[in-house]
Amino acid sequence: MDVSGSRVEYIPGQGYFGYLPGSDKPAMRWGSEFWAMMEEKAAQNAANKVETPVLPNGPGRYDPVALETFERRQLTDQELSALAAELAEKYDPSNMTREEMDSFMEDLVAEGLLSQDELGLLGYHGFTALWSPFNGGGMMGCETWDTSNPEWNTYFSRYGYASSLQECNGDALAYTKLMSFFKNPSGSDAFVKYAQTQRGGYAIMANILEATQRKRLALGLGGENGGTSNAYAGSGLNLNNPTWAEAMTRWKTASNPSDSLDAEDVRNDMYASLDNVLEAAMQRRRLALSRA
């Protein structure tokens, strides 16, 4: 990612603001003044027992105790299809703004798929959560990328080790996929619970966005954006091929005798997607060798 056009501004009483190239909204904020302001907002939310923290009162919260009693809704295939159809009219998973991501998370909360008490881990209104992991609580530890995941090369080949929606050029599906590709958290009990909750939340969002993307393509509402296409340019990847996960989903659907999908076409899709995975792996190796 080219950060040569990035800039930093300091505002007395508010701290530092970091801007990515071409963006008029800060991608990161820091400093003692910013931290003091966030602590005050968190205290206000806690005192007022706010159900849905909204700006300027503070970003999403993380309450591991409350999450212990949260019963996450499990969708049937039919329910997932219906929800994806509804979301397909509102969002383009390959091109979403920060505000649309916030709205998307609110929709999943309303559906019982996410909890208000984990939104602070998922970037809702920013990554400073009420009961922030960076403000004590024994939050020390680390985790690693799961590069063995069969979808890793598909998304890594586009954006590398991206960890924000901005770094993925608004491609929310790629962003949530990449953020779900962490594994083996180690450290304090509080950190392990934090990391597992975060990875699980991103995996849920990625699955819903993936279903939404398939529904958009089926409805003729468009697919991947220009930024994604540009990221593939020159990589040797075939943009018309489905991902391995998409091909496997189609294969499972085609196995149903009542479905109209042609099994031979689906099998060809699987081979084509495998070509993409293998080509992405070779592209990654070529890049590593060139850097060496």
Side-chain angles (χ1 to χ4, degrees), residues 205-217:
M205 289 198 292
N207 288 340
I208 300 298
L209 287 169
E210 194 167 44
T212 301
Q213 186 77 300
R214 289 196 300 269
K215 187 65 68 172
R216 284 180 62 85
L217 291 172

Side-chain angles (χ1 to χ4, degrees), residues 124-194:
Y124 181 71
H125 286 169
F127 268 107
T128 302
L130 306 189
W131 192 89
S132 172
F134 307 107
N135 187 23
M139 296 296 291
M140 297 187 64
C142 63
E143 55 184 334
T144 59
W145 291 97
D146 182 9
T147 57
S148 66
N149 189 296
E151 294 183 288
W152 168 260
N153 284 321
T154 299
Y155 294 98
F156 180 80
S157 64
R158 302 182 191 184
Y159 302 111
Y161 294 103
S163 58
S164 71
L165 183 62
Q166 291 93 335
E167 289 179 280
C168 291
N169 299 325
D171 188 339
L173 176 55
Y175 165 55
T176 53
K177 283 285 188 179
L178 286 168
M179 293 298 285
S180 70
F181 290 158
F182 283 100
K183 66 173 184 176
N184 301 334
S186 61
S188 66
D189 291 343
F191 176 81
V192 170
K193 182 178 293 186
Y194 168 91

Side-chain angles (χ1 to χ4, degrees), residues 80-96 100 104 107-108 208-223:
L80 174 60
S81 179
L83 176 60
E86 179 181 338
L87 296 175
E89 299 289 342
K90 298 177 62 177
Y91 308 109
D92 177 358
S94 67
N95 186 19
M96 291 174 67
E100 287 175 325
F104 171 68
D107 287 342
L108 296 195
I208 300 298
L209 287 169
E210 194 167 44
T212 301
Q213 186 77 300
R214 289 196 300 269
K215 187 65 68 172
R216 284 180 62 85
L217 291 172
L219 296 174
L221 297 176

Side-chain angles (χ1 to χ4, degrees), residues 17-280:
F17 295 69
Y19 296 87
L20 291 175
S23 176
D24 60 353
K25 297 182 179 179
M28 181 179 293
R29 293 184 62 183
W30 69 95
S32 58
E33 292 159 310
F34 167 70
W35 188 245
M37 187 166 55
M38 288 297 99
E39 287 185 325
E40 181 180 356
K41 290 176 180 178
Q44 290 174 352
N45 276 313
N48 296 330
K49 299 185 183 302
V50 175
E51 291 296 327
T52 307
V54 294
L55 295 176
N57 294 321
R61 63 175 174 257
Y62 170 51
D63 187 341
V65 176
L67 284 173
E68 292 178 0
T69 58
F70 173 61
E71 296 185 7
R72 199 182 305 279
R73 178 185 172 195
Q74 302 298 317
L75 295 177
T76 65
D77 291 343
Q78 292 78 10
E79 289 172 334
L80 174 60
S81 179
L83 176 60
E86 179 181 338
L87 296 175
E89 299 289 342
K90 298 177 62 177
Y91 308 109
D92 177 358
S94 67
N95 186 19
M96 291 174 67
T97 65
R98 176 71 266 166
E99 291 77 13
E100 287 175 325
M101 277 294 289
D102 288 343
S103 176
F104 171 68
M105 283 186 268
E106 290 167 0
D107 287 342
L108 296 195
V109 169
E111 293 290 337
L113 299 170
L114 290 179
S115 167
Q116 290 282 2
D117 297 304
E118 63 188 327
L119 293 186
L121 306 184
L122 306 175
Y124 181 71
H125 286 169
F127 268 107
T128 302
L130 306 189
W131 192 89
S132 172
F134 307 107
N135 187 23
M139 296 296 291
M140 297 187 64
C142 63
E143 55 184 334
T144 59
W145 291 97
D146 182 9
T147 57
S148 66
N149 189 296
E151 294 183 288
W152 168 260
N153 284 321
T154 299
Y155 294 98
F156 180 80
S157 64
R158 302 182 191 184
Y159 302 111
Y161 294 103
S163 58
S164 71
L165 183 62
Q166 291 93 335
E167 289 179 280
C168 291
N169 299 325
D171 188 339
L173 176 55
Y175 165 55
T176 53
K177 283 285 188 179
L178 286 168
M179 293 298 285
S180 70
F181 290 158
F182 283 100
K183 66 173 184 176
N184 301 334
S186 61
S188 66
D189 291 343
F191 176 81
V192 170
K193 182 178 293 186
Y194 168 91
Q196 291 175 338
T197 301
Q198 184 181 58
R199 185 173 70 239
Y202 276 114
I204 289 169
M205 289 198 292
N207 288 340
I208 300 298
L209 287 169
E210 194 167 44
T212 301
Q213 186 77 300
R214 289 196 300 269
K215 187 65 68 172
R216 284 180 62 85
L217 291 172
L219 296 174
L221 297 176
E224 295 176 337
N225 61 13
T228 299
S229 299
N230 291 336
Y232 270 111
S235 69
L237 301 182
N238 186 344
L239 287 174
N240 294 319
N241 291 343
T243 66
W244 180 252
E246 290 169 342
M248 290 300 291
T249 299
R250 292 195 68 205
W251 174 257
K252 180 179 178 181
T253 302
S255 300
N256 186 342
S258 65
D259 195 273
S260 61
L261 287 176
D262 184 85
E264 184 64 28
D265 289 342
V266 175
R267 186 181 296 111
N268 290 335
D269 277 351
M270 292 175 68
Y271 287 129
S273 67
L274 183 57
D275 282 343
N276 255 10
V277 172
L278 293 174
E279 180 59 36

